[in-house]
Amino acid sequence: MLRVLMFLVPLALAIYALVDCISAKDDEVRHLPKLVWLALIVLAWVIGPLAWILVGRKRGPAGVGGRRGNAGWVAPDDNPEFLRSLNDEQREAKDEKDKELLENWEEDLRRREEELRQRGDGDDGPGAPPEPPAGGGKN
């Protein structure tokens, strides 16, 4: 059993280090280029993976949800960017609705003004002011 563990532990460590190195962004890799780190992990069974884990990658404090760095996953109701995007979507929908309502009002106003112009062209409409009596003065 001990012989199997002496083989499996370094293999698991190498696999972990290899996956971690592949998934690391280029700006997180320290001291050597990423390709050299990959070769070191594959060729140097125990020393390569240990070196990668200890000094190969910039590591920050544990973030939210056990992820590294400060940019961990945040629940949607705790994420201000997500909440802001919802607010933006609602605002855009409301603005679009308001714009459509305003266009309808303007169209209705134009239609009513045109009706008034057509009605008032030759005759006095019901809203016309009364004309003063003929003779223009007092009796």
Side-chain angles (χ1 to χ4, degrees):
M1 182 69 177
L2 189 57
R3 289 182 190 178
V4 173
L5 282 178
M6 290 179 65
F7 179 74
L8 286 180
V9 170
L11 180 64
L13 189 66
I15 291 172
Y16 169 78
L18 188 63
V19 169
D20 191 42
C21 183
I22 291 171
S23 65
K25 296 178 183 168
D26 288 337
D27 59 339
E28 294 176 343
V29 178
R30 297 190 315 184
H31 302 296
L32 295 173
K34 193 173 183 178
L35 203 56
V36 175
W37 276 115
L38 288 170
L40 186 64
I41 291 169
V42 171
L43 298 176
W45 258 77
V46 178
I47 296 171
L50 283 176
W52 168 256
I53 291 170
L54 295 176
V55 296
R57 183 176 184 177
K58 293 179 186 174
R59 306 210 186 255
V64 177
R67 300 205 37 193
R68 289 185 211 111
N70 295 332
W73 182 84
V74 179
D77 57 343
D78 292 336
N79 187 344
E81 289 180 29
F82 176 75
L83 295 175
R84 193 175 309 114
S85 73
L86 285 180
N87 197 14
D88 290 344
E89 290 173 6
Q90 291 171 351
R91 187 178 307 120
E92 287 175 9
K94 184 178 183 291
D95 288 348
E96 187 65 32
K97 189 176 179 182
D98 289 346
K99 183 178 178 183
E100 184 178 323
L101 186 60
L102 179 63
E103 289 173 357
N104 289 340
W105 284 348
E106 288 175 342
E107 180 62 33
D108 188 45
L109 179 63
R110 277 190 226 105
R111 182 183 52 80
R112 288 182 183 195
E113 287 176 344
E114 185 62 33
E115 285 176 6
L116 285 175
R117 272 191 222 106
Q118 289 175 358
R119 235 188 324 174
D121 273 348
D123 56 347
D124 294 332
E131 291 188 19
K138 298 179 185 175
N139 289 8

